Structure formats: structure tokens, C-alpha cells
Amino acid sequence: MKQEDIRQLERAIDEITEIASGFGLDFYPMRYEICPADIIYTFGAYGMPTRFSHWSFGKTFHRMKTQYDFGLSKIYELVINSNPCYAFLLDGNSLVQNKLIVAHVLAHCDFFKNNVRFSRTNRNMVESMSATAERIRSYELEYGTHAVETFIDAVLAIQEHIDPSLVKPYPPMPKKSASAPGGQKPKSAYDDLWNLDAMTREASAPGAKAETSRKFPPQPEKDLLFFIEEHSPVLEEWQRDIMSMLREEMLYFWPQLETKIMNEGWASYWHQRIMRELDLTVEETIEYAKLNSSVVVPSRHSLNPYYLGLKIFEDIEKRWEKPSQADQERFGRTPGEGRAKIFEVREFDSDLSFIRNYMTKQLVEELDLYVFEKKGPEWKITDKSWENIRDQLVYSRVNGGFPHIVVEDGDFHRNGDLYLKHYYEGVELDLKYLEKTLPYVYQLWSKSIHLETVVEDKPVVFTFDGKKQHRKFL
């Protein structure tokens, strides 16, 4: 960029930041970088400016960069959830494009800072991922690139199966050593008497069994990655270390998966309102209108999270700003609370509760949403009931859009087999993907892997014993 262009952008950033603060947005200090397309798409493929090397990132980069080169898609910016918050702008953006982008990323940063799902986020993840990359490189030098990359392949195959609970402390598995009240280790030979009463009640409970017959784990464990890291009989220390680091990275990305629709809707809502406050020329207004319409346009083939999130936020503001007489009497709403309500939603909700609580019949009809399925060679609309449409959207966001799979038994058949269970909620697993993933889990566990799910409304168990795949209907 030319020096005059940079100065104009700096003045625009100052003006937009002041407007955003005036609206009540609360964000971390911002750092802006102008980057060429190769850098932007490298960051987009890796997910961060610094990360470990893996072939899958190169594959993603090639696909994204090819689409950019042929004019099929374009990344205008990337924003990193950190403190300070980093925004990378594409070199070649016009001034109006950068104005919209700055307004957009300020709202993203406000969301990162204030939404409860991000409350436990590591805000120094850029540095942490850089340290992770260095450690993995050292393991490659010590154990060989092929061994490390093959192991990472297996971990990435199940990386989404973690437990991002806001309440349950880490680590999720109980310690084997006894502890005194308050989490302190026993300081004398008599401190275990504190637990005597609880031990007596447990031993005398109806149906109590011997210690050796207890299920392992006692309750279904959602954090498959942590469970394997802690209890796999074959992993070496360097492998456990890599699993721990990749799990931490996934925990960093998880809130973004849980709030995709909200986050993009919030950023789109505010970039529109901030841009209205700017003194744009006629040419700039037309350029902005074209760019904005391309961002929040409804898609014919899938849901645009920018558009859906924006419309829900606008609907919430309208219904709380000017509640109907019925809403005032039934819910006790008072007029003039629209802006306060959307800030409350931004703070406490995720996509699940956002859609479940605020997707109304009127909004479904306004957006012309429907459920469609493939019937033979054609796609056909199968349902236009607003409750079913809302529920279908909710189901698609359960567990960040990934299957909910738990460890049922880590010592199945008492020979160390791993028994997993899929919590079926109306959507079947992709069987081809399942059969390709089980060998990776076997690689990490070294014993037979069993996965219970539902196929064509019938419970079935898929098994991989290290050599062959089996399936058995229950």
C-alpha cells in the first residue's frame, strides 16, 4: 500500500474504533497487519499465524489459494482471538473494504472478550502454538518425521472429541491417590479418616460390587482425547505430550465452533451499524452496499451463518425494543430494552440456545426456511413446520456439529478393549468415515475398538481388531 493509503486507513481505524466504543462494544487492544494473499491463505489453512507443520494444512492451503486465484472465493481478513487481538487484512483491499472489515473484526473481538464460552480461552495461544511447533519439530528430529506425522494423523482423526465443559475442572479423570478435604494431599497417616464415612456408605449401598468389578470409567467419558492420552497402554511420553498439546489447541478453537452463527451474526450486525455512521461518498456507499450484500446474502444451497445470525439478532432487538402487548403481559417486558437484550444474548448464549430460544415462527417464515432431503435422484422439500426447522437447526449445532461419542468402557471384556458409544440424535454417522477412523483409534489404543451406533433405526456395533472391520446388529 502507498503511504497515503496507509494514513487514510489509520484515520479510518481511529474513527471506527471510536464509534464502536460509543456503541458499547468492549474489545481488546487491536493490532492490524496488511498481508499478501499467500500469507492470508497460509494463516487461513493453518488456523493461526504460527502452528506445527502437517500435510493436511498444505492441502487446505492449495484448495483455498486455487479458489482465490480463479476468482471463486476470497478471504478479506482473518482475526485472531488473543490479547491483544490480531487482524490480518488482505493487501489489495480498497479503503471501503478495509473500513467494513475493521468494523467487522472489532465486533468479533468484542464477542471473543465477552461471550462466556470464551471465558477460559488461552489469550496467549499464538505464543503457545509457536512453542508447540518447536516441541513437535524436536520430536521429529529425535524420532523421525514419518513417525511423528503418522501419530499426528491419528490424533487429528479424533481431535474434535474433547470435553469443553464450562463447569467440570480438568483433568476430568479422578486421581488414583487419595486426597484430604480441600484437595490437599494427606499429611499424616490418619488423614484418610476424613473419607471413612463416604467409603462406608459406598460399600454398604444396595447392589455395591467389589472394587475389581467396577466399570472403567465409572461414568461415560466424553473427552476421548484425554482418556486415551491418560490410559492408553502403548503411548510413549512424547506421544502423550503431543496429544496434550493438540488437545489444548482444540480447546482453544472449540468456542468458535459452538458460536459460529452468533459470532458472525454479531459482527455483521455491528459492521452495518458502524458503517452507517461514517461519512461515505456516493461511490463508497455503492461499493459498501455491494460488498455487504455479498456477505449477508442468503444462500440457495446452505445456511449462511452471517445472514442467519444477523437476522436473529435484529429480530431479538425488535421484539425487545417494541414488545407487543401480549409479550408485555406474559413476559413482563418493558419497551426500550432491545439493545440491552442483544448484549445479554451475546454474553451468555451459544448457537444451541441462540437458535432454540430466539428462532420464532415469524422469523422462519420471513427467511423462507425448510427441510429438504434427497428422494431418489432429486432433492425435495420434506418439511416446512417451523418447530421442526428450528429443531433441525439445533441438532446440527449439537456438540459443535460433530457426533457426540463417549467412552463407555475402557476395559471391555476385561481384556483392555475400548468400547465407544455414539449418542444417536436422529443423524446417522458417515459409515465410510467411521470405518476409516477406527484404525486410527486402534493405533492410539492398541486393543480392539468397538463403536455402538444406530443404522437404519437399528443398534449396531462396529469393531476393528487391528486387521479387519466387523459389524454386529444388537
Side-chain angles (χ1 to χ4, degrees):
M1 294 179 68
K2 298 178 181 179
Q3 281 301 117
E4 179 58 28
D5 294 336
I6 293 176
R7 283 193 290 270
Q8 288 181 347
L9 178 58
E10 288 175 345
R11 288 194 292 268
I13 289 174
D14 290 339
E15 182 181 6
I16 291 169
T17 302
E18 183 178 353
I19 294 171
S21 299
F23 276 127
L25 297 184
D26 175 27
F27 37 80
Y28 293 117
M30 297 295 300
R31 301 289 184 268
Y32 298 94
E33 298 284 347
I34 307 296
C35 302
D38 285 353
I39 300 299
I40 287 284
Y41 282 89
T42 299
F43 291 172
Y46 279 75
M48 291 288 279
T50 57
R51 209 172 179 198
F52 65 92
S53 178
H54 190 257
W55 62 266
S56 62
F57 301 142
K59 179 181 177 181
T60 302
F61 169 82
H62 179 72
R63 174 176 53 80
M64 295 170 64
K65 186 61 167 58
T66 300
Q67 291 178 336
Y68 169 77
D69 291 340
F70 283 94
L72 301 176
S73 68
K74 183 178 180 180
I75 298 178
Y76 292 97
E77 49 77 24
L78 286 172
V79 58
I80 305 299
N81 172 26
S82 60
N83 183 14
C85 191
Y86 292 94
F88 301 93
L89 313 184
L90 179 63
D91 187 19
N93 287 344
S94 69
L95 181 60
V96 172
Q97 288 174 334
N98 279 333
K99 287 180 178 180
L100 182 150
I101 290 164
V102 169
H104 194 85
V105 298
L106 283 173
H108 272 313
C109 187
D110 169 86
F111 195 93
F112 293 148
K113 183 177 180 180
N114 295 285
N115 183 269
V116 68
R117 299 284 161 171
F118 293 84
S119 60
R120 299 178 63 191
T121 295
N122 178 1
R123 305 294 180 179
N124 297 313
M125 204 60 186
V126 174
E127 292 78 8
S128 296
M129 287 188 175
S130 179
T132 293
E134 288 296 328
R135 281 162 68 179
I136 290 179
R137 264 194 294 271
S138 70
Y139 288 138
E140 289 177 342
L141 293 174
E142 184 173 356
Y143 299 102
T145 301
H146 178 73
V148 173
E149 190 163 86
T150 300
F151 178 73
I152 292 177
D153 287 346
V155 178
L156 294 183
I158 59 169
Q159 65 174 338
E160 298 88 3
H161 299 287
I162 58 173
D163 187 354
S165 171
L166 293 174
V167 178
K168 188 171 69 171
Y170 293 104
M173 296 301 295
K175 298 288 188 181
K176 293 183 179 179
S177 57
S179 61
Q184 299 176 351
K185 293 184 178 179
K187 298 179 179 178
S188 74
Y190 304 101
D191 281 354
D192 61 345
L193 292 176
W194 289 104
N195 298 321
L196 183 59
D197 185 50
M199 294 166 61
T200 302
R201 289 197 305 269
E202 186 176 337
S204 61
K209 298 182 180 180
E211 182 74 22
T212 56
S213 65
R214 285 184 179 178
K215 189 178 176 183
F216 173 67
Q219 301 294 329
E221 177 54 58
K222 182 178 183 294
D223 204 320
L224 175 59
L225 216 57
F226 186 88
F227 186 87
I228 292 177
E229 175 197 332
E230 286 289 294
H231 302 288
S232 171
V234 295
L235 294 185
E236 300 179 22
E237 284 306 310
W238 67 271
Q239 294 173 317
R240 297 185 199 277
D241 187 34
I242 288 178
M243 286 196 75
S244 176
M245 291 186 289
L246 298 192
R247 178 174 171 273
E248 286 300 317
E249 291 191 4
M250 196 62 207
L251 285 171
Y252 168 83
F253 288 117
W254 191 263
Q256 299 176 43
L257 298 175
E258 289 187 306
T259 59
K260 175 68 174 178
I261 294 173
M262 281 188 70
N263 204 338
E264 298 298 356
W266 184 253
S268 300
Y269 174 95
W270 282 111
H271 85 230
Q272 289 187 351
R273 276 142 189 83
I274 291 171
M275 291 297 290
R276 291 173 191 166
E277 301 295 316
L278 300 179
D279 186 18
L280 302 178
T281 66
V282 174
E283 292 78 10
E284 288 177 327
T285 301
I286 294 173
E287 184 183 354
Y288 159 69
K290 290 180 178 178
L291 180 60
N292 180 64
S293 64
S294 69
V295 172
V296 297
V297 66
S299 171
R300 294 183 300 171
H301 308 292
S302 61
L303 281 175
N304 179 352
Y306 297 80
Y307 179 72
L308 180 62
L310 168 66
K311 290 301 181 182
I312 296 178
F313 271 119
E314 288 181 339
D315 186 64
I316 293 171
E317 183 179 34
K318 179 179 67 176
R319 290 191 290 121
W320 263 260
E321 187 69 20
K322 297 180 179 179
S324 64
Q325 189 64 36
D327 285 348
Q328 293 183 49
E329 295 174 358
R330 183 179 179 186
F331 302 111
R333 294 177 189 166
T334 56
E337 295 184 350
R339 186 60 58 82
K341 181 61 180 179
I342 63 172
F343 272 94
E344 176 190 317
V345 171
R346 173 268 270 150
E347 183 174 358
F348 293 109
D349 282 89
S350 66
D351 282 349
L352 277 177
S353 56
F354 185 59
I355 296 171
R356 168 65 70 184
N357 295 335
Y358 302 109
M359 176 68 78
T360 64
K361 179 180 180 181
Q362 292 77 12
L363 191 57
V364 169
E365 292 174 350
E366 177 187 337
L367 300 180
D368 192 24
L369 299 178
Y370 49 83
V371 177
F372 61 96
E373 299 178 26
K374 193 169 186 178
K375 299 288 187 179
E378 297 181 350
W379 291 93
K380 295 185 178 180
I381 296 175
T382 57
D383 200 341
K384 295 205 73 170
S385 167
W386 81 270
E387 295 99 332
N388 292 340
I389 292 170
R390 178 199 61 194
D391 293 345
Q392 192 76 14
L393 287 172
V394 170
Y395 294 151
S396 70
R397 303 306 303 151
V398 170
N399 200 41
F402 297 100
H404 187 173
I405 294 174
V406 300
V407 178
E408 277 285 321
D409 196 341
D411 190 21
F412 190 57
H413 289 153
R414 293 296 180 266
N415 63 359
D417 288 4
L418 186 63
Y419 193 96
L420 310 176
K421 184 175 181 179
H422 170 223
Y423 283 178
Y424 177 74
E425 298 183 43
V427 180
E428 293 184 2
L429 296 178
D430 183 329
L431 299 187
K432 291 183 178 179
Y433 190 92
L434 183 157
E435 292 178 347
K436 290 181 179 180
T437 303
L438 288 183
Y440 286 121
V441 185
Y442 179 89
Q443 178 184 334
L444 299 172
W445 191 255
S446 82
K447 298 284 187 177
S448 293
I449 309 300
H450 311 271
L451 175 59
E452 179 183 339
T453 185
V454 173
V455 177
E456 297 179 352
D457 297 324
K458 298 178 182 178
V460 59
V461 174
F462 290 83
T463 298
F464 181 72
D465 59 10
K467 297 180 180 179
K468 294 182 179 180
Q469 300 268 4
H470 310 275
R471 69 174 69 180
K472 176 183 177 183
F473 286 94
L474 301 179

PDB file of all heavy atoms in Angstrom, residues 66-92:
ATOM      1  N   THR A  66      -6.153 -21.905  -4.672  1.00  0.00           N
ATOM      2  CA  THR A  66      -6.613 -22.147  -6.043  1.00  0.00           C
ATOM      3  C   THR A  66      -7.955 -21.462  -6.285  1.00  0.00           C
ATOM      4  O   THR A  66      -8.175 -20.852  -7.344  1.00  0.00           O
ATOM      5  CB  THR A  66      -6.734 -23.658  -6.314  1.00  0.00           C
ATOM      6  OG1 THR A  66      -5.447 -24.275  -6.145  1.00  0.00           O
ATOM      7  CG2 THR A  66      -7.235 -23.924  -7.718  1.00  0.00           C
ATOM      8  N   GLN A  67      -8.869 -21.567  -5.307  1.00  0.00           N
ATOM      9  CA  GLN A  67     -10.165 -20.901  -5.437  1.00  0.00           C
ATOM     10  C   GLN A  67      -9.999 -19.389  -5.535  1.00  0.00           C
ATOM     11  O   GLN A  67     -10.707 -18.719  -6.292  1.00  0.00           O
ATOM     12  CB  GLN A  67     -11.065 -21.272  -4.259  1.00  0.00           C
ATOM     13  CG  GLN A  67     -11.520 -22.721  -4.275  1.00  0.00           C
ATOM     14  CD  GLN A  67     -12.362 -23.078  -3.068  1.00  0.00           C
ATOM     15  OE1 GLN A  67     -12.275 -22.439  -2.019  1.00  0.00           O
ATOM     16  NE2 GLN A  67     -13.174 -24.108  -3.194  1.00  0.00           N
ATOM     17  N   TYR A  68      -9.037 -18.841  -4.770  1.00  0.00           N
ATOM     18  CA  TYR A  68      -8.769 -17.400  -4.837  1.00  0.00           C
ATOM     19  C   TYR A  68      -8.207 -17.014  -6.201  1.00  0.00           C
ATOM     20  O   TYR A  68      -8.637 -16.026  -6.817  1.00  0.00           O
ATOM     21  CB  TYR A  68      -7.791 -17.016  -3.723  1.00  0.00           C
ATOM     22  CG  TYR A  68      -7.229 -15.614  -3.862  1.00  0.00           C
ATOM     23  CD1 TYR A  68      -8.000 -14.501  -3.526  1.00  0.00           C
ATOM     24  CD2 TYR A  68      -5.932 -15.408  -4.329  1.00  0.00           C
ATOM     25  CE1 TYR A  68      -7.492 -13.212  -3.650  1.00  0.00           C
ATOM     26  CE2 TYR A  68      -5.415 -14.125  -4.457  1.00  0.00           C
ATOM     27  CZ  TYR A  68      -6.199 -13.034  -4.120  1.00  0.00           C
ATOM     28  OH  TYR A  68      -5.693 -11.764  -4.256  1.00  0.00           O
ATOM     29  N   ASP A  69      -7.245 -17.805  -6.708  1.00  0.00           N
ATOM     30  CA  ASP A  69      -6.613 -17.490  -7.987  1.00  0.00           C
ATOM     31  C   ASP A  69      -7.606 -17.510  -9.138  1.00  0.00           C
ATOM     32  O   ASP A  69      -7.474 -16.743 -10.107  1.00  0.00           O
ATOM     33  CB  ASP A  69      -5.471 -18.477  -8.266  1.00  0.00           C
ATOM     34  CG  ASP A  69      -4.286 -18.278  -7.327  1.00  0.00           C
ATOM     35  OD1 ASP A  69      -4.181 -17.189  -6.743  1.00  0.00           O
ATOM     36  OD2 ASP A  69      -3.490 -19.225  -7.165  1.00  0.00           O
ATOM     37  N   PHE A  70      -8.621 -18.385  -9.054  1.00  0.00           N
ATOM     38  CA  PHE A  70      -9.615 -18.486 -10.122  1.00  0.00           C
ATOM     39  C   PHE A  70     -10.846 -17.605  -9.852  1.00  0.00           C
ATOM     40  O   PHE A  70     -11.837 -17.702 -10.576  1.00  0.00           O
ATOM     41  CB  PHE A  70     -10.052 -19.945 -10.301  1.00  0.00           C
ATOM     42  CG  PHE A  70      -9.050 -20.782 -11.047  1.00  0.00           C
ATOM     43  CD1 PHE A  70      -8.100 -21.524 -10.365  1.00  0.00           C
ATOM     44  CD2 PHE A  70      -9.030 -20.821 -12.435  1.00  0.00           C
ATOM     45  CE1 PHE A  70      -7.162 -22.295 -11.044  1.00  0.00           C
ATOM     46  CE2 PHE A  70      -8.107 -21.573 -13.125  1.00  0.00           C
ATOM     47  CZ  PHE A  70      -7.161 -22.323 -12.429  1.00  0.00           C
ATOM     48  N   GLY A  71     -10.769 -16.798  -8.798  1.00  0.00           N
ATOM     49  CA  GLY A  71     -11.861 -15.879  -8.514  1.00  0.00           C
ATOM     50  C   GLY A  71     -13.103 -16.529  -7.960  1.00  0.00           C
ATOM     51  O   GLY A  71     -14.201 -15.947  -8.034  1.00  0.00           O
ATOM     52  N   LEU A  72     -12.981 -17.739  -7.387  1.00  0.00           N
ATOM     53  CA  LEU A  72     -14.144 -18.449  -6.855  1.00  0.00           C
ATOM     54  C   LEU A  72     -14.458 -18.065  -5.420  1.00  0.00           C
ATOM     55  O   LEU A  72     -15.598 -18.207  -4.958  1.00  0.00           O
ATOM     56  CB  LEU A  72     -13.915 -19.963  -6.952  1.00  0.00           C
ATOM     57  CG  LEU A  72     -13.664 -20.509  -8.359  1.00  0.00           C
ATOM     58  CD1 LEU A  72     -13.345 -21.990  -8.306  1.00  0.00           C
ATOM     59  CD2 LEU A  72     -14.890 -20.255  -9.245  1.00  0.00           C
ATOM     60  N   SER A  73     -13.464 -17.609  -4.662  1.00  0.00           N
ATOM     61  CA  SER A  73     -13.673 -17.176  -3.285  1.00  0.00           C
ATOM     62  C   SER A  73     -12.556 -16.228  -2.902  1.00  0.00           C
ATOM     63  O   SER A  73     -11.515 -16.169  -3.562  1.00  0.00           O
ATOM     64  CB  SER A  73     -13.713 -18.374  -2.319  1.00  0.00           C
ATOM     65  OG  SER A  73     -12.439 -18.986  -2.231  1.00  0.00           O
ATOM     66  N   LYS A  74     -12.791 -15.508  -1.809  1.00  0.00           N
ATOM     67  CA  LYS A  74     -11.793 -14.532  -1.381  1.00  0.00           C
ATOM     68  C   LYS A  74     -11.892 -14.320   0.120  1.00  0.00           C
ATOM     69  O   LYS A  74     -12.993 -14.121   0.651  1.00  0.00           O
ATOM     70  CB  LYS A  74     -12.004 -13.201  -2.112  1.00  0.00           C
ATOM     71  CG  LYS A  74     -10.975 -12.126  -1.791  1.00  0.00           C
ATOM     72  CD  LYS A  74     -11.243 -10.869  -2.599  1.00  0.00           C
ATOM     73  CE  LYS A  74     -10.224  -9.772  -2.308  1.00  0.00           C
ATOM     74  NZ  LYS A  74     -10.492  -8.554  -3.097  1.00  0.00           N
ATOM     75  N   ILE A  75     -10.762 -14.394   0.802  1.00  0.00           N
ATOM     76  CA  ILE A  75     -10.695 -14.067   2.228  1.00  0.00           C
ATOM     77  C   ILE A  75     -10.245 -12.617   2.346  1.00  0.00           C
ATOM     78  O   ILE A  75      -9.137 -12.275   1.939  1.00  0.00           O
ATOM     79  CB  ILE A  75      -9.718 -15.000   2.978  1.00  0.00           C
ATOM     80  CG1 ILE A  75     -10.182 -16.454   2.899  1.00  0.00           C
ATOM     81  CG2 ILE A  75      -9.594 -14.576   4.433  1.00  0.00           C
ATOM     82  CD1 ILE A  75      -9.226 -17.421   3.574  1.00  0.00           C
ATOM     83  N   TYR A  76     -11.099 -11.769   2.889  1.00  0.00           N
ATOM     84  CA  TYR A  76     -10.754 -10.358   3.026  1.00  0.00           C
ATOM     85  C   TYR A  76      -9.922 -10.094   4.282  1.00  0.00           C
ATOM     86  O   TYR A  76      -9.147  -9.149   4.328  1.00  0.00           O
ATOM     87  CB  TYR A  76     -12.016  -9.503   3.079  1.00  0.00           C
ATOM     88  CG  TYR A  76     -12.779  -9.467   1.781  1.00  0.00           C
ATOM     89  CD1 TYR A  76     -13.866 -10.314   1.561  1.00  0.00           C
ATOM     90  CD2 TYR A  76     -12.428  -8.582   0.760  1.00  0.00           C
ATOM     91  CE1 TYR A  76     -14.578 -10.281   0.367  1.00  0.00           C
ATOM     92  CE2 TYR A  76     -13.127  -8.534  -0.434  1.00  0.00           C
ATOM     93  CZ  TYR A  76     -14.201  -9.392  -0.621  1.00  0.00           C
ATOM     94  OH  TYR A  76     -14.909  -9.355  -1.810  1.00  0.00           O
ATOM     95  N   GLU A  77     -10.141 -10.918   5.310  1.00  0.00           N
ATOM     96  CA  GLU A  77      -9.443 -10.701   6.575  1.00  0.00           C
ATOM     97  C   GLU A  77      -9.430 -11.987   7.398  1.00  0.00           C
ATOM     98  O   GLU A  77     -10.184 -12.919   7.134  1.00  0.00           O
ATOM     99  CB  GLU A  77     -10.120  -9.594   7.389  1.00  0.00           C
ATOM    100  CG  GLU A  77     -11.636  -9.736   7.535  1.00  0.00           C
ATOM    101  CD  GLU A  77     -12.123 -10.758   8.540  1.00  0.00           C
ATOM    102  OE1 GLU A  77     -11.355 -11.056   9.469  1.00  0.00           O
ATOM    103  OE2 GLU A  77     -13.242 -11.251   8.401  1.00  0.00           O
ATOM    104  N   LEU A  78      -8.564 -11.998   8.405  1.00  0.00           N
ATOM    105  CA  LEU A  78      -8.558 -13.027   9.436  1.00  0.00           C
ATOM    106  C   LEU A  78      -8.383 -12.321  10.768  1.00  0.00           C
ATOM    107  O   LEU A  78      -7.599 -11.366  10.878  1.00  0.00           O
ATOM    108  CB  LEU A  78      -7.422 -14.020   9.221  1.00  0.00           C
ATOM    109  CG  LEU A  78      -7.575 -15.025   8.078  1.00  0.00           C
ATOM    110  CD1 LEU A  78      -6.271 -15.792   7.875  1.00  0.00           C
ATOM    111  CD2 LEU A  78      -8.700 -16.008   8.376  1.00  0.00           C
ATOM    112  N   VAL A  79      -9.098 -12.775  11.780  1.00  0.00           N
ATOM    113  CA  VAL A  79      -8.969 -12.180  13.109  1.00  0.00           C
ATOM    114  C   VAL A  79      -8.633 -13.289  14.103  1.00  0.00           C
ATOM    115  O   VAL A  79      -9.195 -14.385  14.041  1.00  0.00           O
ATOM    116  CB  VAL A  79     -10.263 -11.435  13.520  1.00  0.00           C
ATOM    117  CG1 VAL A  79     -11.470 -12.354  13.516  1.00  0.00           C
ATOM    118  CG2 VAL A  79     -10.094 -10.763  14.872  1.00  0.00           C
ATOM    119  N   ILE A  80      -7.690 -13.014  14.989  1.00  0.00           N
ATOM    120  CA  ILE A  80      -7.199 -13.996  15.950  1.00  0.00           C
ATOM    121  C   ILE A  80      -7.712 -13.659  17.343  1.00  0.00           C
ATOM    122  O   ILE A  80      -7.577 -12.511  17.804  1.00  0.00           O
ATOM    123  CB  ILE A  80      -5.652 -14.044  15.965  1.00  0.00           C
ATOM    124  CG1 ILE A  80      -5.124 -14.303  14.548  1.00  0.00           C
ATOM    125  CG2 ILE A  80      -5.151 -15.097  16.937  1.00  0.00           C
ATOM    126  CD1 ILE A  80      -5.570 -15.601  13.931  1.00  0.00           C
ATOM    127  N   ASN A  81      -8.304 -14.633  18.016  1.00  0.00           N
ATOM    128  CA  ASN A  81      -8.795 -14.457  19.378  1.00  0.00           C
ATOM    129  C   ASN A  81      -7.614 -14.470  20.343  1.00  0.00           C
ATOM    130  O   ASN A  81      -7.147 -15.529  20.762  1.00  0.00           O
ATOM    131  CB  ASN A  81      -9.787 -15.579  19.708  1.00  0.00           C
ATOM    132  CG  ASN A  81     -10.185 -15.583  21.169  1.00  0.00           C
ATOM    133  OD1 ASN A  81     -10.143 -14.544  21.835  1.00  0.00           O
ATOM    134  ND2 ASN A  81     -10.566 -16.740  21.673  1.00  0.00           N
ATOM    135  N   SER A  82      -7.107 -13.296  20.681  1.00  0.00           N
ATOM    136  CA  SER A  82      -5.962 -13.186  21.587  1.00  0.00           C
ATOM    137  C   SER A  82      -6.007 -11.813  22.239  1.00  0.00           C
ATOM    138  O   SER A  82      -6.868 -10.993  21.940  1.00  0.00           O
ATOM    139  CB  SER A  82      -4.650 -13.378  20.822  1.00  0.00           C
ATOM    140  OG  SER A  82      -4.518 -12.394  19.797  1.00  0.00           O
ATOM    141  N   ASN A  83      -5.099 -11.575  23.140  1.00  0.00           N
ATOM    142  CA  ASN A  83      -4.977 -10.282  23.793  1.00  0.00           C
ATOM    143  C   ASN A  83      -3.521  -9.826  23.748  1.00  0.00           C
ATOM    144  O   ASN A  83      -2.683 -10.379  24.442  1.00  0.00           O
ATOM    145  CB  ASN A  83      -5.449 -10.364  25.249  1.00  0.00           C
ATOM    146  CG  ASN A  83      -5.410  -9.016  25.952  1.00  0.00           C
ATOM    147  OD1 ASN A  83      -5.273  -7.982  25.313  1.00  0.00           O
ATOM    148  ND2 ASN A  83      -5.522  -9.043  27.271  1.00  0.00           N
ATOM    149  N   PRO A  84      -3.171  -8.842  22.876  1.00  0.00           N
ATOM    150  CA  PRO A  84      -4.060  -8.062  22.002  1.00  0.00           C
ATOM    151  C   PRO A  84      -4.615  -8.901  20.862  1.00  0.00           C
ATOM    152  O   PRO A  84      -4.082  -9.958  20.538  1.00  0.00           O
ATOM    153  CB  PRO A  84      -3.142  -6.962  21.489  1.00  0.00           C
ATOM    154  CG  PRO A  84      -1.773  -7.557  21.531  1.00  0.00           C
ATOM    155  CD  PRO A  84      -1.761  -8.430  22.744  1.00  0.00           C
ATOM    156  N   CYS A  85      -5.689  -8.396  20.248  1.00  0.00           N
ATOM    157  CA  CYS A  85      -6.367  -9.121  19.174  1.00  0.00           C
ATOM    158  C   CYS A  85      -5.722  -8.735  17.833  1.00  0.00           C
ATOM    159  O   CYS A  85      -5.534  -7.555  17.545  1.00  0.00           O
ATOM    160  CB  CYS A  85      -7.844  -8.741  19.179  1.00  0.00           C
ATOM    161  SG  CYS A  85      -8.887  -9.767  18.147  1.00  0.00           S
ATOM    162  N   TYR A  86      -5.361  -9.744  17.032  1.00  0.00           N
ATOM    163  CA  TYR A  86      -4.692  -9.505  15.754  1.00  0.00           C
ATOM    164  C   TYR A  86      -5.679  -9.635  14.598  1.00  0.00           C
ATOM    165  O   TYR A  86      -6.445 -10.601  14.534  1.00  0.00           O
ATOM    166  CB  TYR A  86      -3.546 -10.496  15.551  1.00  0.00           C
ATOM    167  CG  TYR A  86      -2.388 -10.296  16.494  1.00  0.00           C
ATOM    168  CD1 TYR A  86      -2.309 -11.010  17.690  1.00  0.00           C
ATOM    169  CD2 TYR A  86      -1.379  -9.382  16.209  1.00  0.00           C
ATOM    170  CE1 TYR A  86      -1.258 -10.821  18.574  1.00  0.00           C
ATOM    171  CE2 TYR A  86      -0.325  -9.186  17.074  1.00  0.00           C
ATOM    172  CZ  TYR A  86      -0.270  -9.912  18.261  1.00  0.00           C
ATOM    173  OH  TYR A  86       0.774  -9.713  19.136  1.00  0.00           O
ATOM    174  N   ALA A  87      -5.640  -8.656  13.704  1.00  0.00           N
ATOM    175  CA  ALA A  87      -6.457  -8.707  12.488  1.00  0.00           C
ATOM    176  C   ALA A  87      -5.524  -8.566  11.288  1.00  0.00           C
ATOM    177  O   ALA A  87      -4.709  -7.645  11.230  1.00  0.00           O
ATOM    178  CB  ALA A  87      -7.495  -7.591  12.483  1.00  0.00           C
ATOM    179  N   PHE A  88      -5.650  -9.497  10.337  1.00  0.00           N
ATOM    180  CA  PHE A  88      -4.809  -9.502   9.139  1.00  0.00           C
ATOM    181  C   PHE A  88      -5.677  -9.136   7.941  1.00  0.00           C
ATOM    182  O   PHE A  88      -6.637  -9.842   7.626  1.00  0.00           O
ATOM    183  CB  PHE A  88      -4.157 -10.872   8.950  1.00  0.00           C
ATOM    184  CG  PHE A  88      -3.304 -11.291  10.114  1.00  0.00           C
ATOM    185  CD1 PHE A  88      -3.830 -12.067  11.140  1.00  0.00           C
ATOM    186  CD2 PHE A  88      -1.974 -10.894  10.196  1.00  0.00           C
ATOM    187  CE1 PHE A  88      -3.056 -12.448  12.219  1.00  0.00           C
ATOM    188  CE2 PHE A  88      -1.187 -11.275  11.273  1.00  0.00           C
ATOM    189  CZ  PHE A  88      -1.727 -12.046  12.291  1.00  0.00           C
ATOM    190  N   LEU A  89      -5.365  -8.022   7.297  1.00  0.00           N
ATOM    191  CA  LEU A  89      -6.142  -7.522   6.169  1.00  0.00           C
ATOM    192  C   LEU A  89      -5.436  -7.865   4.867  1.00  0.00           C
ATOM    193  O   LEU A  89      -4.209  -7.770   4.766  1.00  0.00           O
ATOM    194  CB  LEU A  89      -6.324  -6.006   6.274  1.00  0.00           C
ATOM    195  CG  LEU A  89      -6.761  -5.438   7.635  1.00  0.00           C
ATOM    196  CD1 LEU A  89      -6.977  -3.943   7.543  1.00  0.00           C
ATOM    197  CD2 LEU A  89      -8.015  -6.137   8.125  1.00  0.00           C
ATOM    198  N   LEU A  90      -6.212  -8.243   3.861  1.00  0.00           N
ATOM    199  CA  LEU A  90      -5.659  -8.640   2.570  1.00  0.00           C
ATOM    200  C   LEU A  90      -5.124  -7.429   1.814  1.00  0.00           C
ATOM    201  O   LEU A  90      -5.831  -6.432   1.626  1.00  0.00           O
ATOM    202  CB  LEU A  90      -6.732  -9.342   1.743  1.00  0.00           C
ATOM    203  CG  LEU A  90      -6.320  -9.817   0.340  1.00  0.00           C
ATOM    204  CD1 LEU A  90      -5.218 -10.877   0.430  1.00  0.00           C
ATOM    205  CD2 LEU A  90      -7.526 -10.370  -0.415  1.00  0.00           C
ATOM    206  N   ASP A  91      -3.876  -7.507   1.400  1.00  0.00           N
ATOM    207  CA  ASP A  91      -3.278  -6.453   0.580  1.00  0.00           C
ATOM    208  C   ASP A  91      -4.052  -6.369  -0.742  1.00  0.00           C
ATOM    209  O   ASP A  91      -4.281  -7.380  -1.408  1.00  0.00           O
ATOM    210  CB  ASP A  91      -1.802  -6.781   0.320  1.00  0.00           C
ATOM    211  CG  ASP A  91      -1.076  -5.652  -0.387  1.00  0.00           C
ATOM    212  OD1 ASP A  91      -1.579  -4.522  -0.357  1.00  0.00           O
ATOM    213  OD2 ASP A  91      -0.011  -5.927  -0.977  1.00  0.00           O
ATOM    214  N   GLY A  92      -4.453  -5.202  -1.104  1.00  0.00           N
ATOM    215  CA  GLY A  92      -5.255  -5.039  -2.311  1.00  0.00           C
ATOM    216  C   GLY A  92      -6.694  -4.686  -2.016  1.00  0.00           C
ATOM    217  O   GLY A  92      -7.446  -4.292  -2.924  1.00  0.00           O
TER     218      GLY A  92
END
